[in-house]
């Protein structure tokens, strides 16, 4: 309990402090704010290692796609991946709930780094331009897009089918997909106390190349990520 309290105190205090320190970056080039995001990622891993004695392992670095555009599709079990993946990849472009952009300071940073917002489970004028916004961002940047095809944080053993939106993105962008399986929920669950002395693994899987039918892509993506999670558990 004490280690959980210390983790929460230092982690959230650090995120707030970093956000405040980088307020001047609102008026500076975007790369300054992106650097702040990487610091948050390293701070996250530091707090896990120090306060929860978490061992963080990165598997499959050799599978990272290089020299061409791609998007990342990652499992989602905790807040960990939203911060830490920025340290592995080139400052990914996030797709996130519109409400997050309304948060004071932190939400402003999310907007500054070019995050793409969507209103969940709603058809609106704002959502109609969603795929156009993604295409523009990818075409104008060398940063990869990151999506969480499960749609929300899930428990480690939850095998909810992936959302169809990820296959639509694959079909629209016509670029490679980098699947990632992360068992972060075994350390940092969506609800309840965080676990001590665990192994948190980020498994970077082989790319799924463009050209598949979107239904086949979705089944393959779900299969490779859930199979890896079963192995990690």
């Amino acid at each position: 309990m004490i280690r959980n309290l210390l983790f929460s105190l230092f982690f959230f205090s650090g995120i707030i402090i970093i956000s405040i320190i980088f307020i001047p970056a609102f008026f500076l080039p975007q790369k300054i704010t992106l650097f702040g995001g990487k610091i948050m990622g390293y701070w996250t891993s530091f707090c896990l290692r120090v306060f929860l004695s978490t061992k963080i392992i990165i598997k499959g670095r050799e599978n990272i796609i290089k020299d061409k555009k791609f998007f990342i599709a990652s499992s989602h079990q905790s807040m960990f991946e939203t911060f830490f993946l920025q340290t592995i990849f080139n400052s990914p472009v996030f797709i996130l709930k519109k409400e997050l952009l309304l948060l004071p300071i932190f939400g402003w940073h999310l907007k500054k780094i070019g995050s793409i917002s969507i209103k969940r489970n709603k058809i609106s004028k704002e959502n109609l331009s969603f795929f156009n916004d993604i295409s523009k961002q990818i075409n104008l940047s060398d940063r990869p897009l990151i999506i969480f095809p499960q749609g929300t944080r899930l428990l480690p053993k939850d095998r909810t089918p992936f959302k169809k939106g990820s296959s639509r993105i694959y079909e629209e962008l016509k670029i490679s997909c980098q699947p990632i399986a992360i068992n972060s929920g075994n350390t940092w669950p969506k609800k309840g106390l965080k676990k001590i002395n665990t192994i948190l693994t980020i498994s970077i899987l082989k790319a799924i190349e463009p050209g598949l039918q979107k239904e086949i892509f979705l089944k393959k993506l779900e299969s490779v990520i859930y199979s890896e999670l079963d192995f990690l558990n």
Side-chain angles (χ1 to χ4, degrees), residues 7-21:
F7 171 84
S8 296
L9 175 63
F10 278 84
F11 170 71
F12 287 109
S13 295
I15 295 298
I16 292 170
I17 291 170
I18 295 167
S19 297
I20 293 173
I21 289 173

Side-chain angles (χ1 to χ4, degrees), residues 34-53:
L34 293 174
F35 178 67
K38 286 185 179 293
I39 292 176
M40 289 183 180
Y42 287 117
W43 176 249
T44 302
S45 63
F46 173 81
C47 289
L48 285 169
R49 289 186 172 106
V50 171
F51 298 108
L52 302 181
S53 299

Side-chain angles (χ1 to χ4, degrees), residues 8-219:
S8 296
L9 175 63
F10 278 84
F11 170 71
F12 287 109
S13 295
I15 295 298
I16 292 170
I17 291 170
I18 295 167
S19 297
I20 293 173
I21 289 173
F22 276 83
I23 285 178
F26 295 148
F27 310 102
L28 298 172
Q30 187 188 62
K31 64 182 180 180
I32 306 298
T33 306
L34 293 174
F35 178 67
K38 286 185 179 293
I39 292 176
M40 289 183 180
Y42 287 117
W43 176 249
T44 302
S45 63
F46 173 81
C47 289
L48 285 169
R49 289 186 172 106
V50 171
F51 298 108
L52 302 181
S53 299
T54 305
K55 183 177 181 181
I56 299 175
I57 296 174
I58 302 174
K59 288 176 54 182
R61 283 188 181 272
E62 69 277 6
N63 294 324
I64 294 178
I65 301 170
K66 299 179 179 68
D67 303 324
K68 62 181 178 180
K69 292 184 180 294
F70 66 97
F71 73 98
I72 300 162
S74 173
S75 61
H76 195 20
Q77 297 181 1
S78 78
M79 294 174 63
F80 170 79
E81 45 268 17
T82 60
F83 289 104
F84 189 74
L85 289 179
Q86 297 179 80
T87 70
I88 300 176
F89 296 95
N90 178 29
S91 301
V93 177
F94 286 91
I95 295 176
L96 42 76
K97 296 184 296 183
K98 187 175 179 64
E99 293 78 10
L100 291 176
L101 298 182
L102 303 178
L103 294 173
I105 302 180
F106 187 73
W108 306 339
H109 283 295
L110 291 174
K111 190 171 183 179
K112 175 71 176 181
I113 65 174
S115 300
I116 300 170
S117 65
I118 188 169
K119 288 187 176 181
R120 284 184 181 172
N121 303 319
K122 289 186 179 181
I123 298 176
S124 66
K125 290 183 179 179
E126 297 159 276
N127 285 350
L128 291 176
S129 65
F130 177 66
F131 291 104
N132 287 334
D133 293 341
I134 291 174
S135 295
K136 288 179 183 177
Q137 184 71 267
I138 293 299
N139 290 331
L140 295 174
S141 173
D142 60 354
R143 296 163 55 201
L145 177 76
I146 183 169
I147 63 172
F148 299 109
Q150 293 164 304
T152 188
R153 287 175 292 163
L154 297 179
L155 297 173
K157 293 185 179 180
D158 192 320
R159 296 296 179 262
T160 297
F162 284 4
K163 303 292 184 183
K164 294 181 180 179
S166 54
S167 62
R168 175 77 186 277
I169 289 172
Y170 172 81
E171 182 181 55
E172 291 283 334
L173 296 181
K174 295 179 174 58
I175 58 177
S176 299
C177 172
Q178 181 87 78
I180 300 180
I182 306 177
N183 65 344
S184 55
N186 292 330
T187 301
W188 190 341
K190 183 177 180 179
K191 296 179 181 179
L193 294 175
K194 297 161 189 67
K195 309 295 175 58
I196 312 297
N197 296 316
T198 60
I199 297 176
L200 195 163
T201 304
I202 302 99
S203 187
I204 303 168
L205 306 171
K206 290 184 179 179
I208 301 177
E209 300 299 334
L212 298 176
Q213 293 182 359
K214 62 180 181 180
E215 295 82 8
I216 295 175
F217 162 76
L218 189 63
K219 289 181 180 178

